[in-house]
Amino acid sequence: GEGEGGGDEGSDSGDGGGGEEGGGKGRGAARRRWVPPAMLWLVQRDFLQGGSVEEYLRQALQPVEHAPTDAQAGQLNAIRRTLRSFGGMRGLGLPQPHPSRTSLCDLPPDQLAAEYRAGMQAVREWVGSVAQRRRRRAPAAEAEAEA
């Protein structure tokens, strides 16, 4: 359904474009496979043009055909490939926060649209749950790297 744009947080997919990450303890440090962090896309629903968040992200992250001499398009495709590797990716569609876009920074939160505030609460909850899972895993990963 709307609001989910990828696999479960913590899945390890793709090459990630980042190689391996060292333990930071010198040459003999244990090396672990780089795991892409969780990533959350916030998409203002105006951009969806009637489609879902998943469709929007899938289309935005597809490589585009380009001439071999177009280095910029090649770099953009490399970025798209790396972004697709984020196993913990999710997308949420948010409504416009307020009709007066030019004064958003000056508005108190209670003047923003109720649906927008509810969406932002969902964002906070998702970020919090991902952070808690990662904190629980961190000590185990450090112990494994030292062994």
Side-chain angles (χ1 to χ4, degrees), residues 91-105:
L92 292 173
L94 294 174
Q96 183 175 319
H98 192 273
S100 179
R101 293 180 187 186
T102 58
S103 61
L104 287 176
C105 293

Side-chain angles (χ1 to χ4, degrees), residues 23-44:
K25 298 180 183 168
R27 252 184 234 236
R31 295 183 62 92
R32 298 175 297 212
R33 180 181 162 130
W34 182 77
V35 178
M39 182 171 194
L40 178 64
W41 294 79
L42 299 177
V43 180
Q44 187 168 328

Side-chain angles (χ1 to χ4, degrees), residues 69-90:
T69 57
D70 188 348
Q72 183 178 8
Q75 290 173 336
L76 289 174
N77 280 342
I79 292 168
R80 288 178 179 105
R81 182 174 49 255
T82 299
L83 290 173
R84 284 192 316 271
S85 75
F86 281 60
M89 187 168 25
R90 181 172 181 195

Side-chain angles (χ1 to χ4, degrees), residues 57-68:
L57 292 177
R58 202 171 12 259
Q59 181 181 0
L61 296 176
Q62 288 302 309
V64 295
E65 291 187 31
H66 61 88

